[in-house]
PDB file of all heavy atoms in Angstrom:
ATOM      1  N   THR A   5      11.334   8.941  -7.841  1.00  0.00           N
ATOM      2  CA  THR A   5      12.216   7.798  -8.049  1.00  0.00           C
ATOM      3  C   THR A   5      13.352   7.928  -7.048  1.00  0.00           C
ATOM      4  O   THR A   5      14.105   8.896  -7.079  1.00  0.00           O
ATOM      5  CB  THR A   5      12.757   7.773  -9.492  1.00  0.00           C
ATOM      6  OG1 THR A   5      11.650   7.668 -10.393  1.00  0.00           O
ATOM      7  CG2 THR A   5      13.687   6.597  -9.699  1.00  0.00           C
ATOM      8  N   LEU A   6      13.438   6.964  -6.140  1.00  0.00           N
ATOM      9  CA  LEU A   6      14.404   7.039  -5.054  1.00  0.00           C
ATOM     10  C   LEU A   6      15.651   6.225  -5.379  1.00  0.00           C
ATOM     11  O   LEU A   6      15.557   5.087  -5.833  1.00  0.00           O
ATOM     12  CB  LEU A   6      13.764   6.515  -3.760  1.00  0.00           C
ATOM     13  CG  LEU A   6      14.539   6.725  -2.476  1.00  0.00           C
ATOM     14  CD1 LEU A   6      14.787   8.203  -2.200  1.00  0.00           C
ATOM     15  CD2 LEU A   6      13.774   6.103  -1.314  1.00  0.00           C
ATOM     16  N   THR A   7      16.804   6.834  -5.138  1.00  0.00           N
ATOM     17  CA  THR A   7      18.088   6.168  -5.328  1.00  0.00           C
ATOM     18  C   THR A   7      18.809   6.090  -3.990  1.00  0.00           C
ATOM     19  O   THR A   7      18.451   6.792  -3.029  1.00  0.00           O
ATOM     20  CB  THR A   7      18.967   6.937  -6.327  1.00  0.00           C
ATOM     21  OG1 THR A   7      19.266   8.219  -5.769  1.00  0.00           O
ATOM     22  CG2 THR A   7      18.283   7.090  -7.674  1.00  0.00           C
ATOM     23  N   LYS A   8      19.842   5.281  -3.937  1.00  0.00           N
ATOM     24  CA  LYS A   8      20.636   5.134  -2.715  1.00  0.00           C
ATOM     25  C   LYS A   8      21.213   6.477  -2.291  1.00  0.00           C
ATOM     26  O   LYS A   8      21.224   6.819  -1.107  1.00  0.00           O
ATOM     27  CB  LYS A   8      21.750   4.114  -2.944  1.00  0.00           C
ATOM     28  CG  LYS A   8      22.622   3.873  -1.730  1.00  0.00           C
ATOM     29  CD  LYS A   8      23.669   2.807  -2.021  1.00  0.00           C
ATOM     30  CE  LYS A   8      24.685   2.761  -0.915  1.00  0.00           C
ATOM     31  NZ  LYS A   8      25.904   3.497  -1.229  1.00  0.00           N
ATOM     32  N   ASP A   9      21.665   7.262  -3.248  1.00  0.00           N
ATOM     33  CA  ASP A   9      22.283   8.558  -2.940  1.00  0.00           C
ATOM     34  C   ASP A   9      21.307   9.528  -2.284  1.00  0.00           C
ATOM     35  O   ASP A   9      21.709  10.371  -1.488  1.00  0.00           O
ATOM     36  CB  ASP A   9      22.872   9.186  -4.198  1.00  0.00           C
ATOM     37  CG  ASP A   9      24.054   8.390  -4.746  1.00  0.00           C
ATOM     38  OD1 ASP A   9      24.680   7.643  -3.974  1.00  0.00           O
ATOM     39  OD2 ASP A   9      24.338   8.528  -5.948  1.00  0.00           O
ATOM     40  N   ALA A  10      20.031   9.435  -2.623  1.00  0.00           N
ATOM     41  CA  ALA A  10      19.027  10.366  -2.090  1.00  0.00           C
ATOM     42  C   ALA A  10      18.278   9.805  -0.886  1.00  0.00           C
ATOM     43  O   ALA A  10      17.454  10.507  -0.297  1.00  0.00           O
ATOM     44  CB  ALA A  10      18.033  10.721  -3.187  1.00  0.00           C
ATOM     45  N   LEU A  11      18.554   8.582  -0.494  1.00  0.00           N
ATOM     46  CA  LEU A  11      17.775   7.930   0.556  1.00  0.00           C
ATOM     47  C   LEU A  11      17.796   8.701   1.868  1.00  0.00           C
ATOM     48  O   LEU A  11      16.743   9.066   2.406  1.00  0.00           O
ATOM     49  CB  LEU A  11      18.280   6.495   0.784  1.00  0.00           C
ATOM     50  CG  LEU A  11      17.595   5.751   1.930  1.00  0.00           C
ATOM     51  CD1 LEU A  11      16.141   5.488   1.598  1.00  0.00           C
ATOM     52  CD2 LEU A  11      18.326   4.450   2.234  1.00  0.00           C
ATOM     53  N   GLU A  12      18.963   8.969   2.406  1.00  0.00           N
ATOM     54  CA  GLU A  12      19.064   9.572   3.736  1.00  0.00           C
ATOM     55  C   GLU A  12      18.386  10.938   3.788  1.00  0.00           C
ATOM     56  O   GLU A  12      17.606  11.228   4.700  1.00  0.00           O
ATOM     57  CB  GLU A  12      20.526   9.688   4.174  1.00  0.00           C
ATOM     58  CG  GLU A  12      20.677  10.164   5.606  1.00  0.00           C
ATOM     59  CD  GLU A  12      22.120  10.142   6.081  1.00  0.00           C
ATOM     60  OE1 GLU A  12      22.975   9.470   5.473  1.00  0.00           O
ATOM     61  OE2 GLU A  12      22.382  10.830   7.081  1.00  0.00           O
ATOM     62  N   SER A  13      18.665  11.783   2.798  1.00  0.00           N
ATOM     63  CA  SER A  13      18.061  13.116   2.812  1.00  0.00           C
ATOM     64  C   SER A  13      16.547  13.034   2.652  1.00  0.00           C
ATOM     65  O   SER A  13      15.809  13.799   3.273  1.00  0.00           O
ATOM     66  CB  SER A  13      18.674  14.006   1.733  1.00  0.00           C
ATOM     67  OG  SER A  13      18.405  13.496   0.453  1.00  0.00           O
ATOM     68  N   THR A  14      16.068  12.093   1.842  1.00  0.00           N
ATOM     69  CA  THR A  14      14.626  11.952   1.646  1.00  0.00           C
ATOM     70  C   THR A  14      13.954  11.485   2.937  1.00  0.00           C
ATOM     71  O   THR A  14      12.920  12.033   3.340  1.00  0.00           O
ATOM     72  CB  THR A  14      14.324  10.977   0.489  1.00  0.00           C
ATOM     73  OG1 THR A  14      14.991  11.439  -0.694  1.00  0.00           O
ATOM     74  CG2 THR A  14      12.835  10.890   0.218  1.00  0.00           C
ATOM     75  N   ILE A  15      14.544  10.514   3.612  1.00  0.00           N
ATOM     76  CA  ILE A  15      13.992  10.041   4.887  1.00  0.00           C
ATOM     77  C   ILE A  15      13.956  11.180   5.895  1.00  0.00           C
ATOM     78  O   ILE A  15      12.958  11.374   6.598  1.00  0.00           O
ATOM     79  CB  ILE A  15      14.807   8.852   5.435  1.00  0.00           C
ATOM     80  CG1 ILE A  15      14.577   7.609   4.578  1.00  0.00           C
ATOM     81  CG2 ILE A  15      14.453   8.573   6.898  1.00  0.00           C
ATOM     82  CD1 ILE A  15      15.507   6.450   4.914  1.00  0.00           C
ATOM     83  N   ASN A  16      15.030  11.945   5.974  1.00  0.00           N
ATOM     84  CA  ASN A  16      15.127  13.006   6.975  1.00  0.00           C
ATOM     85  C   ASN A  16      14.276  14.228   6.652  1.00  0.00           C
ATOM     86  O   ASN A  16      13.846  14.939   7.559  1.00  0.00           O
ATOM     87  CB  ASN A  16      16.586  13.416   7.170  1.00  0.00           C
ATOM     88  CG  ASN A  16      17.399  12.318   7.810  1.00  0.00           C
ATOM     89  OD1 ASN A  16      16.890  11.507   8.579  1.00  0.00           O
ATOM     90  ND2 ASN A  16      18.673  12.271   7.488  1.00  0.00           N
ATOM     91  N   ASP A  17      14.038  14.492   5.366  1.00  0.00           N
ATOM     92  CA  ASP A  17      13.328  15.708   4.960  1.00  0.00           C
ATOM     93  C   ASP A  17      11.811  15.546   4.876  1.00  0.00           C
ATOM     94  O   ASP A  17      11.099  16.542   4.816  1.00  0.00           O
ATOM     95  CB  ASP A  17      13.826  16.189   3.592  1.00  0.00           C
ATOM     96  CG  ASP A  17      15.263  16.686   3.630  1.00  0.00           C
ATOM     97  OD1 ASP A  17      15.791  16.904   4.742  1.00  0.00           O
ATOM     98  OD2 ASP A  17      15.855  16.840   2.544  1.00  0.00           O
ATOM     99  N   LYS A  18      11.328  14.331   4.856  1.00  0.00           N
ATOM    100  CA  LYS A  18       9.901  14.099   4.649  1.00  0.00           C
ATOM    101  C   LYS A  18       9.252  13.584   5.933  1.00  0.00           C
ATOM    102  O   LYS A  18       9.684  12.558   6.470  1.00  0.00           O
ATOM    103  CB  LYS A  18       9.669  13.082   3.522  1.00  0.00           C
ATOM    104  CG  LYS A  18      10.358  13.426   2.211  1.00  0.00           C
ATOM    105  CD  LYS A  18       9.859  14.725   1.621  1.00  0.00           C
ATOM    106  CE  LYS A  18      10.551  15.032   0.308  1.00  0.00           C
ATOM    107  NZ  LYS A  18      10.221  16.335  -0.212  1.00  0.00           N
TER     108      LYS A  18
END
Side-chain angles (χ1 to χ4, degrees):
T5 299
L6 190 60
T7 64
K8 181 178 169 262
D9 293 337
L11 176 67
E12 186 174 342
S13 64
T14 304
I15 290 171
N16 292 331
D17 292 346
K18 306 298 181 187

